[in-house]
Amino acid sequence: MKYLFSGFTSTIFLLQFFLFGEEVKTVASTVESATVYEDRALVTRSANLNLTSGKHQIILAGLPDGLIDYSVRVSGDGAAAVKILDVKIEEEYFAEISEQAMRQYHQHRDSLKFEKQAVLDRISVLETQKGFIESLKSESSQDINRDLVRQAPAVENWQKMVQFFGDNLGNIYDELRNQRKQQQQIKNKIEIINHKIKQGSSSHSSKKIRVPLLVESPGSLKLSVSYLIHGASWKPVYDARILAEKKMLELTYFAIVEQNTGENWDNTKLTLSTAKPHSTPEIPLLIPLYITTNSRVNNYLSSSGKAGNAFYDRLPANMFYKPNRRIPPGHGYIEGKILDRSSKEPLPYVNVTIGESTFGAATDSDGYFKIPRVPAGWHSVYVNFIGYGDIQAKIEVKEGYTLNLDFYLEESSVEGQAAYVAAPHPEQTVRYSLANIERKLTAAIFEIPEQNDIPSDGAPHKVMIMNKALNVDFDYIAIPRELEKIFLKSQVKNATDVTLLGGRVNIFLENEFINQTTISNIAPNETFDLALGVDESINVKRTMINRYFETKGLFGGKQKVTYEFEITVTNHKRTEESIQVIDQLPISRDEKVNVKLLSPDEKDVKIDRLKNITWAVNLKPGESQKLPLKFQVEFPNYASIVEVK
C-alpha cells in the first residue's frame, strides 16, 4: 500500500517531536477479541508498548473505515503511570487496493452470488407452492358449488377451508415479498462490490486512532482499543442427532458467524450476545409533555379519548393506520422508516424495540423496519442508534391494523475528558471511554472457549457453542386416512443451563439426515417437541374392504350406507414400538343424518369430541396388526350425502 502525502505527514510528526518533545509512534495492533451481536460487533485490539517518561503520541493505523467513532474506548494495563490526554479518530486515504482486499472483494461477491441463488431457489419453491394451493382453491370452489346443489352447505367446513387458503396463501405471499426484497438487497450489494472491483486502483480509506499520552513513570503498557463496527452478525443453528435405541438426543448448538468488516479476526476470542448495544454519550433531558387537541396528537389517544395515553417524547414524522386482514386475532403490525433529520437520508441498523418485551427489529440498508404480530394495546416504542439521540414514544397497536411510524433522528455529540491514574502498585489499569455498551439482564451471552479465525469474507463460519445429550421420549403417530406414513415425534426437555434461541434445526436419525425444522426460544428446563419426519421402518396401510347400501320404505323411508376399512400396521424395526393410529368418524350436522360406529368397540379406543378415533398399538419386531374400522350412515330417502373415503 502507498499512503498519499506520507512524506508530508512524516515531516509534520518530526516537527512536532522537535518543537514539543513528543515521540510519535505508529504501533502494530492485533485483534484480541470480538463480541458479535445480531447486526454489529464490538472489536478489541491491543498493542504492547515500552514507554519512557514524557509525552508520546501512539497511533494505531490501518483500522477499518466502518468503525463507529462514538463507540471507541481505550484502556491500558501495565507498570507505567500515565495520563491519557485525548483520543482522536482520523481518516487516511490509500492510493491502491491491496491484493488481499481485492481477494476479499471477490470472495464476498462469490458468497453473495451463492446467497442470491439460494433466494432464487426459495422463490421457485414458493411459486410452486402458491400454484398448488391456488389449484386446490379452484377445485374446492367446484366442490362447494356441487354441495350447494346436492345438500345443505357445511358452513364450518367452508370456514375452515377459507381460513386454510387464507393463512397459507397469505404466508406464501408474505415470504415471497420478503425473498424478493432480499434478492434486491443482495443484488445491490453485488453491484457495490462490482463497482469497487472495477475501480481497481482507485483510492480508498481506513481509519487510525491517535492517543496522546503523558508518561510520568516509565514502564510497559498494554494499550487496548475497542470499538463497535457494522458488517458482523450471528444466528443460532442446531444439529439434533436422534439415538433411537438409547432414547437420547445429541444436541449440538452452533452459531453461524458472518463478518465483512474489512479486518480479519485471526486467532480471536469470540463472544456471542443477543444484547443490543448503543452509545449513551449524554445524560438525557426531560422534554415537556404537552397535551393538545391537535388531530395528529389524537392518534396517540385511545377510542375512549383519554388524554392519559398521550405521547412521551416526540411525534413521529409520519403516522397512520391501514387495515391488514392477514394479521392474527388480537395482534397488529408495525412498520416504518428511520431518517436523519438534517440530511433526510435513511439510517440503517437502527434498533426499534417495543417496551421491555422481545419484540423489536433493526432497520435495513434502506432505513425500513417492520415488527409483525405485536399484541394489540398501548406500547412504548424505543428508537436508538449510536451517535444519535434516542426517541421514546407511546403508540397504540390496533387489532387487524398495520401502524406506519416514520421517525427523524438527530445527531448527538460526544466529548471526552482526560483520565488520570496514579501508580501506587507495580501493576495498574488506565481507562478512557467515549461510549458505554448497554448489557441487559435478559441478554444471552456465550463465550466461546477456544480461539477462532473469522476472515472478513462475508461467508458463514460455523462455531460450536455446546454439545449436550438430552433424554427424549418418542411418539410414533399415523394418520393413514391422509397419508400412509408413520411420523416420528419427540418430546425433549432442555436440560441445559442456557436458553436455546429460536433457529433452524437439522435433524439426523443416527447418521442419516431426515428432516429440517425450526424452534422458538426454549428456556432451561422447558419441554419442547421436535417433528422428526417419516420413519420408513414402520409401515401403515388403509384399505376400504366394503361399502354397501340399504333402503327401507319408498316414501318417508331411510337409506343406510355401511363403510368398512382395515388399517394394517407392520413393525420392521429391531425393537418393540408403540404407535398411535388416528382415524375418524364422519360428524353429522343434520339431526336426520345419524352415524353409528360398528367396529372397533368404543372401550378399546379413544374417541374425542371431534370423533377422532385413536388406537394404541404395541408391536414387537416383525409383528403386524390389523385395525378394523366399520361405521354406518343413516339418512332420509330424499337426501344425499357426500361419499366417505
Side-chain angles (χ1 to χ4, degrees):
M1 296 184 185
K2 297 178 180 178
Y3 292 94
L4 293 178
F5 311 114
S6 58
F8 176 77
T9 305
S10 300
T11 302
I12 293 296
F13 288 169
L14 289 173
L15 182 61
Q16 287 179 334
F17 176 76
F18 287 113
L19 291 178
F20 304 103
E22 291 185 339
E23 181 182 358
V24 179
K25 182 184 296 185
T26 300
V27 298
S29 62
T30 57
V31 176
E32 274 195 347
S33 65
T35 299
V36 186
Y37 304 95
E38 63 178 17
D39 63 348
R40 67 196 71 183
L42 174 66
V43 177
T44 300
R45 285 178 164 269
S46 65
N48 293 314
L49 309 173
N50 192 14
L51 300 173
T52 59
S53 297
K55 291 184 178 180
H56 298 263
Q57 284 205 34
I58 306 301
I59 298 174
L60 283 73
L63 305 182
D65 59 0
L67 73 84
I68 301 170
D69 295 0
Y70 295 105
S71 69
V72 172
R73 181 173 67 183
V74 178
S75 65
D77 187 15
V82 301
K83 183 178 181 180
I84 299 178
L85 303 176
D86 197 3
V87 173
K88 295 181 179 178
I89 296 92
E90 302 172 355
E91 196 165 13
E92 55 185 353
Y93 294 89
F94 298 92
E96 60 184 26
I97 298 177
S98 69
E99 292 183 5
Q100 180 183 5
M102 189 66 74
R103 184 167 59 251
Q104 289 175 353
Y105 285 147
H106 283 282
Q107 290 174 347
H108 189 203
R109 184 177 63 178
D110 292 342
S111 175
L112 288 171
K113 286 181 178 179
F114 181 81
E115 188 177 344
K116 179 183 177 183
Q117 186 58 50
V119 171
L120 291 174
D121 292 343
R122 182 57 183 160
I123 290 174
S124 177
V125 171
L126 290 169
E127 290 286 0
T128 303
Q129 292 176 349
K130 185 183 73 169
F132 175 71
I133 292 179
E134 287 177 340
S135 67
L136 288 179
K137 183 179 177 182
S138 176
E139 293 179 8
S140 300
S141 299
Q142 297 174 11
D143 292 340
I144 290 174
N145 293 332
R146 286 198 300 268
D147 289 348
L148 286 170
V149 176
R150 297 173 56 184
Q151 65 175 21
V155 176
E156 183 180 357
N157 291 339
W158 292 2
Q159 289 175 340
K160 289 181 179 179
M161 181 182 65
V162 171
Q163 183 177 358
F164 168 80
F165 290 132
D167 291 346
N168 284 274
L169 279 176
N171 292 336
I172 289 174
Y173 282 126
D174 285 343
E175 189 173 354
L176 272 172
R177 279 192 293 270
N178 291 335
Q179 293 292 333
R180 288 183 176 129
K181 183 176 180 180
Q182 187 175 351
Q183 177 189 1
Q184 184 61 44
Q185 290 173 348
I186 295 172
K187 180 182 177 182
N188 293 340
K189 291 179 182 178
I190 292 175
E191 289 177 354
I192 291 173
I193 293 177
N194 285 337
H195 180 68
K196 290 181 178 179
I197 293 175
K198 187 176 180 180
Q199 282 183 323
S201 60
S202 299
S203 63
H204 68 289
S205 64
S206 70
K207 288 185 178 179
K208 59 184 177 183
I209 297 176
R210 186 190 302 270
V211 185
L213 301 174
L214 176 60
V215 181
E216 297 185 342
S217 176
S220 62
L221 182 72
K222 180 180 180 181
L223 192 67
S224 297
V225 176
S226 64
Y227 46 84
L228 283 172
I229 188 168
H230 290 301
S233 64
W234 78 279
K235 59 185 176 182
V237 67
Y238 305 87
D239 282 356
R241 195 171 301 276
I242 306 297
L243 308 176
E245 295 185 6
K246 296 182 180 180
K247 302 290 186 183
M248 299 290 291
L249 181 144
E250 185 181 82
L251 184 70
T252 308
Y253 193 166
F254 292 103
I256 301 298
V257 181
E258 301 177 7
Q259 71 106 341
N260 187 37
T261 61
E263 60 183 355
N264 293 326
W265 301 343
D266 297 327
N267 197 30
T268 299
K269 178 176 176 56
L270 279 182
T271 300
L272 310 173
S273 175
T274 61
K276 295 182 178 180
H278 63 83
S279 62
T280 311
E282 298 175 346
I283 298 175
L285 298 175
L286 283 176
I287 298 175
L289 190 62
Y290 296 103
I291 301 294
T292 177
T293 58
N294 183 284
S295 60
R296 193 176 181 193
V297 179
N298 286 339
N299 284 328
Y300 284 90
L301 304 179
S302 65
S303 58
S304 63
K306 293 181 180 179
N309 284 325
F311 64 94
Y312 281 164
D313 194 325
R314 64 191 71 172
L315 292 171
N318 192 16
M319 175 180 174
F320 60 88
Y321 294 91
K322 57 184 178 181
N324 188 338
R325 295 182 179 179
R326 294 176 182 167
I327 299 175
H331 292 75
Y333 197 106
I334 299 176
E335 65 181 13
K337 192 171 185 180
I338 310 298
L339 307 168
D340 182 288
R341 180 172 293 278
S342 59
S343 67
K344 304 299 186 292
E345 291 294 323
L347 295 175
Y349 312 113
V350 180
N351 291 321
V352 183
T353 54
I354 305 297
E356 299 301 326
S357 70
T358 58
F359 295 102
T363 57
D364 61 19
S365 57
D366 296 320
Y368 287 102
F369 73 93
K370 57 182 180 179
I371 309 174
R373 298 191 179 186
V374 181
W378 285 91
H379 298 277
S380 297
V381 174
Y382 300 92
V383 182
N384 57 73
F385 188 44
I386 293 174
Y388 287 79
D390 294 350
I391 287 181
Q392 177 184 1
K394 190 81 168 181
I395 54 95
E396 182 185 16
V397 175
K398 296 182 179 181
E399 180 178 358
Y401 282 83
T402 294
L403 171 58
N404 186 92
L405 291 173
D406 296 343
F407 286 101
Y408 285 130
L409 295 188
E410 295 180 348
E411 288 192 58
S412 61
S413 59
V414 182
E415 293 184 3
Q417 296 180 350
Y420 175 78
V421 179
H425 305 289
E427 296 292 327
Q428 47 81 40
T429 301
V430 292
R431 297 188 182 278
Y432 179 80
S433 177
L434 287 179
N436 296 321
I437 305 302
E438 182 180 16
R439 197 176 291 265
K440 296 183 179 179
L441 294 177
T442 56
I445 299 172
F446 305 103
E447 293 185 359
I448 308 303
E450 68 276 1
Q451 308 292 98
N452 286 271
D453 294 335
I454 310 292
S456 177
D457 55 7
H461 299 273
K462 206 171 187 178
V463 177
M464 188 172 75
I465 295 176
M466 71 169 191
N467 181 268
K468 182 78 172 180
L470 304 174
N471 293 323
V472 61
D473 293 325
F474 296 107
D475 290 320
Y476 286 101
I477 298 175
I479 309 177
R481 185 181 186 278
E482 298 297 326
L483 190 63
E484 293 180 334
K485 297 289 184 181
I486 299 290
F487 292 89
L488 180 60
K489 185 183 75 171
S490 67
Q491 193 173 68
V492 188
K493 181 178 181 180
N494 179 13
T496 71
D497 57 356
V498 301
T499 295
L500 304 179
L501 302 175
R504 189 180 78 245
V505 184
N506 301 312
I507 300 176
F508 299 83
L509 184 58
E510 305 294 344
N511 291 319
E512 180 184 359
F513 176 79
I514 59 172
N515 194 23
Q516 187 178 93
T517 186
T518 58
I519 61 171
S520 56
N521 289 1
I522 309 296
N525 297 316
E526 185 179 351
T527 300
F528 61 101
D529 292 332
L530 278 180
L532 305 180
V534 174
D535 191 338
E536 301 288 354
S537 57
I538 304 177
N539 295 337
V540 62
K541 187 170 181 61
R542 183 180 189 265
T543 307
M544 177 177 280
I545 303 298
N546 205 348
R547 180 182 67 238
Y548 54 89
F549 296 84
E550 300 176 61
T551 303
K552 291 184 179 181
L554 295 177
F555 301 102
K558 294 185 177 181
Q559 300 182 67
K560 292 183 180 179
V561 184
T562 302
Y563 297 90
E564 186 176 359
F565 299 90
E566 184 178 79
I567 302 171
T568 305
V569 188
T570 305
N571 180 18
H572 296 291
K573 299 176 74 70
R574 294 179 295 176
T575 55
E576 182 176 349
E577 301 296 345
S578 298
I579 305 103
Q580 291 185 48
V581 181
I582 303 174
D583 213 300
Q584 63 185 162
L585 284 176
I587 300 174
S588 173
R589 299 185 61 83
D590 190 326
E591 61 182 9
K592 297 182 177 64
V593 178
N594 297 313
V595 180
K596 182 180 179 181
L597 178 64
L598 303 176
S599 179
D601 195 308
E602 290 192 23
K603 70 177 186 297
D604 297 329
V605 294
K606 291 182 179 180
I607 304 178
D608 64 19
R609 62 183 183 85
L610 297 178
K611 300 300 181 182
N612 293 320
I613 304 172
T614 302
W615 290 265
V617 180
N618 293 314
L619 295 178
K620 295 179 180 179
E623 187 178 4
S624 182
Q625 186 172 338
K626 297 183 184 298
L627 309 175
L629 175 60
K630 187 176 182 180
F631 57 88
Q632 189 178 80
V633 181
E634 184 181 69
F635 55 96
N637 273 337
Y638 61 80
S640 62
I641 62 169
V642 178
E643 284 294 333
V644 178
K645 296 180 181 180

